Each structure stands twice: as C-alpha cells, then as structure tokens.
C-alpha cells in the first residue's frame, strides 16, 4: 500500500498551479510522456543529475513538452525516484 501511495504521489496529471511548493513537474517516457511531480531535493541526487545530463544532451534547453523532459522509461524513472526517496 505504501509503495502504491508513493507512485501516486509522484505522478500527476494536474496543472502547473497544482504543483506544491518545493516540487517541480517533469515529463518522463520514451514515446508517450507522463507527467510526474518530484521534490526539488532530487536535483542534488547524483542519479537524478545523471538523468538531467541525458535530458540536456537530447533536448538542450528546448524541451518538446514545454517542461523538463527526461528521456528514459517510466519504470526506470520510478525505480530511480524510489532510491531518491530512501536517501
């Protein structure tokens, strides 16, 4: 049940106004993008920084979704953010 709540809290289909203070929206996926809400504290995690570098290499500063797009599979992203939650 706790794992389900974590996943539910990470993913959101809400608007920018619904993003809590201290969080940011990212779009994740290889073909179909899903929106996730993550704490800004993830920005200091080495594994999340790796994903940010990959996003920069692929998209530069021109992200097709209008927000930060992370080019990885959804399951990989969920596993990575689970590790960030544990730190």
């Amino acid at each position: 049940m706790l794992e389900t709540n974590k996943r539910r809290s990470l993913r959101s289909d809400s608007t920018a106004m619904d993003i809590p203070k201290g969080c940011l929206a990212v779009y994740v996926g290889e073909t179909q993008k899903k929106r996730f809400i993550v704490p800004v504290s993830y920005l200091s995690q080495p594994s999340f920084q790796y994903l940010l570098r990959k996003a920069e290499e692929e998209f530069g500063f021109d992200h097709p979704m209008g927000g930060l797009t992370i080019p990885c599979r959804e399951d990989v992203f969920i596993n990575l953010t689970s590790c960030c939650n544990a730190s």
Side-chain angles (χ1 to χ4, degrees):
M1 175 103 172
L2 182 61
E3 183 63 30
T4 302
N5 288 336
K6 274 188 197 176
R7 287 180 187 198
R8 208 175 285 144
S9 69
L10 286 173
R11 197 174 119 211
S12 173
D13 296 323
S14 59
T15 65
M17 293 176 63
D18 294 334
I19 299 172
K21 185 175 182 174
C23 294
L24 66 131
V26 296
Y27 297 89
V28 178
E30 293 178 316
T31 53
Q32 184 178 0
K33 308 289 188 241
K34 289 191 180 177
R35 186 171 181 239
F36 289 82
I37 305 300
V38 298
V40 295
S41 62
Y42 285 10
L43 297 173
S44 65
Q45 299 291 325
S47 54
F48 199 81
Q49 290 174 359
Y50 171 78
L51 290 179
L52 293 176
R53 283 191 297 278
K54 289 296 180 189
E56 181 184 18
E57 288 172 11
E58 185 163 331
F59 302 113
F61 294 104
D62 183 29
H63 291 266
M65 298 295 291
L68 182 58
T69 305
I70 308 279
C72 75
R73 293 190 337 247
E74 182 181 351
D75 62 324
V76 171
F77 182 79
I78 289 170
N79 286 336
L80 180 131
T81 54
S82 294
C83 293
C84 289
N85 282 331
S87 331

